[in-house]
Amino acid sequence: MTTDTALPTWTKTTINLADPRLGALAITASDEFFAPLSRMLNPEPAVFIPGKYDENGKWMDGWETRRKRSMGHDWSIIKLGRKGVIAGFDVDTSHFTGNYAPAVSIEATDSLSDDPAALASATWTEVLVSTSLSGNSHHFLPATDTTAYTHLRIHIYPDGGIARLRVYGQPIGAFDEPGKVYDLAALENGGRAVAFNDAHFGAASNLLLPGRGVNMGDGWETRRRREPGNDWCIIALGAPGIVERIEVDTAHFKGNYPDRCMIQAARMDGGTDQSIITQSMFWPVLLDERKLQMDAIHTFSDGIAALGPVTHVRLNIIPDGGVSRLRIWGKVAR
């Protein structure tokens, strides 16, 4: 299993543009006999269920084509959740051992249409050259082009399966309207979870997802704290901005919501994610300590400190618990 320290830097400083929660779609594929293309975009890690079969054979958690008995190779087309500049890919063949795709290449295009016929005649650019794959492995592969794209065409040679495809990149066009108030922390706007001290029951990145949480698992939740102090997470905003309003949503958290919250913020130019963790302890307060309630949206507009443009916020929950969503509304500092 790949450890976090072994991951390429671009996996930590970008978002997954192929996340269906951002609008990514499986458009079409040459074959989906054993497993549908849409399963390859599932944001959850791939699983293996011994003894589970469907009418076509062994149930696999990914995209899998039948064994090719003719010339050629299989392919698929997906739409990215946001148009963006791609940094690299994680081509994940987890649990595919004797049935993984031996090689992959990826092309990209910028299209206003999702129609397969229109995409078939589009101009495609290779962004990942043909690369050999191994079974039951993550393959972190840098992209070869820095243009912004909307759709990908994935070629597998000649057939087989891919469990998950993650497309790491930076969305563009999120802040096109000058003077408009945006959710600067939203995942679809390029916000990302930089660090956290604990995420035992739910990932900090869930805080930035669209909409309200669907259940208690669709948020950030820490373990029960049995020592002094409080839990925290750090969010990098999609662009430097001046904060005007903050929303802390504890949807579905009832017996386990934080008692209070407090938010710090700063403009960070340079450094690394690791150095930001240390510096964040001394950031000025953006929103002083506020009482929270269970299963509620808390909107704070009064008392937000005039810190000027900030690039990062640190959400402190006191002492522990779960938060469903965090919205940092403000105007982009241009």
Side-chain angles (χ1 to χ4, degrees):
M1 179 174 290
T2 304
T3 62
D4 184 66
T5 55
L7 297 176
T9 301
W10 43 262
T11 66
K12 306 172 189 177
T13 58
T14 57
I15 68 169
N16 176 23
L17 298 172
D19 192 326
R21 296 171 297 185
L22 301 183
L25 294 173
I27 301 295
T28 188
S30 60
D31 189 89
E32 301 173 89
F33 186 83
F34 285 115
L37 178 63
S38 59
R39 212 173 279 166
M40 184 179 71
L41 303 181
N42 188 337
E44 299 296 325
V47 298
F48 183 80
I49 304 177
K52 182 174 182 178
Y53 291 83
D54 59 26
E55 61 183 11
N56 287 340
K58 181 69 183 74
W59 184 93
M60 293 298 294
D61 194 8
W63 169 45
E64 185 182 1
T65 70
R66 75 188 77 199
R67 300 190 189 207
K68 183 165 282 294
R69 302 308 192 199
S70 60
M71 293 291 291
H73 66 277
D74 287 318
W75 54 268
S76 64
I77 296 176
I78 66 168
K79 177 184 180 180
L80 299 178
R82 288 299 300 260
K83 178 178 179 179
V85 177
I86 300 167
F89 307 91
D90 174 13
V91 183
D92 177 8
T93 58
S94 289
H95 311 298
F96 285 84
T97 53
N99 55 344
Y100 64 92
V104 65
S105 70
I106 299 176
E107 297 173 298
T109 192
D110 181 11
S111 174
L112 295 176
S113 174
D114 297 334
D115 179 63
L119 290 168
S121 60
T123 299
W124 293 86
T125 301
E126 188 174 68
V127 292
L128 177 70
V129 299
S130 295
T131 303
S132 295
L133 301 177
S134 301
N136 198 31
S137 302
H138 288 264
H139 306 80
F140 294 98
L141 309 169
T144 59
D145 191 282
T146 58
T147 306
Y149 294 108
T150 59
H151 295 74
L152 298 182
R153 184 161 63 187
I154 300 97
H155 301 269
I156 56 175
Y157 304 96
D159 55 31
I162 294 175
R164 297 289 187 266
L165 177 68
R166 309 291 189 227
V167 182
Y168 292 95
Q170 191 65 34
I172 69 163
F175 306 112
D176 285 344
E177 296 183 43
K180 181 179 177 179
V181 175
Y182 290 95
D183 179 3
L184 302 170
L187 190 66
E188 63 265 35
N189 291 337
R192 64 183 179 90
V194 171
F196 48 85
N197 73 305
D198 184 82
H200 188 86
F201 294 111
S205 58
N206 289 340
L207 290 168
L208 314 181
L209 291 172
R212 297 196 74 191
V214 297
N215 54 41
M216 205 167 66
D218 188 23
W220 171 51
E221 184 183 0
T222 67
R223 63 176 174 82
R224 297 189 186 214
R225 176 169 283 274
R226 303 307 192 193
E227 62 277 342
N230 67 273
D231 294 326
W232 54 267
C233 70
I234 299 171
I235 305 300
L237 305 181
I242 298 173
V243 179
E244 297 185 358
R245 188 172 80 252
I246 296 170
E247 292 177 15
V248 179
D249 185 358
T250 56
H252 307 291
F253 291 99
K254 298 176 181 178
N256 52 351
Y257 66 96
D259 182 65
R260 290 154 287 152
C261 76
M262 184 267 284
I263 298 178
Q264 298 164 268
R267 177 161 191 155
M268 303 301 297
D269 297 313
T272 65
D273 286 354
Q274 187 60 43
S275 67
I276 284 173
I277 295 173
T278 303
Q279 292 171 288
S280 71
M281 293 186 291
F282 308 102
W283 289 351
V285 173
L286 178 68
L287 181 72
D288 57 9
E289 197 169 294
R290 301 295 176 100
K291 186 75 174 176
L292 298 179
Q293 299 178 9
M294 68 177 183
D295 194 23
I297 297 176
H298 308 77
T299 301
F300 306 110
S301 54
D302 295 333
I304 295 177
L307 301 183
V310 298
T311 59
H312 293 72
V313 298
R314 172 173 163 144
L315 171 63
N316 297 281
I317 56 173
I318 305 165
D320 56 26
V323 176
S324 178
R325 297 289 188 267
L326 175 68
R327 307 295 185 207
I328 306 294
W329 295 96
K331 295 176 181 175
V332 174
R334 301 186 183 273

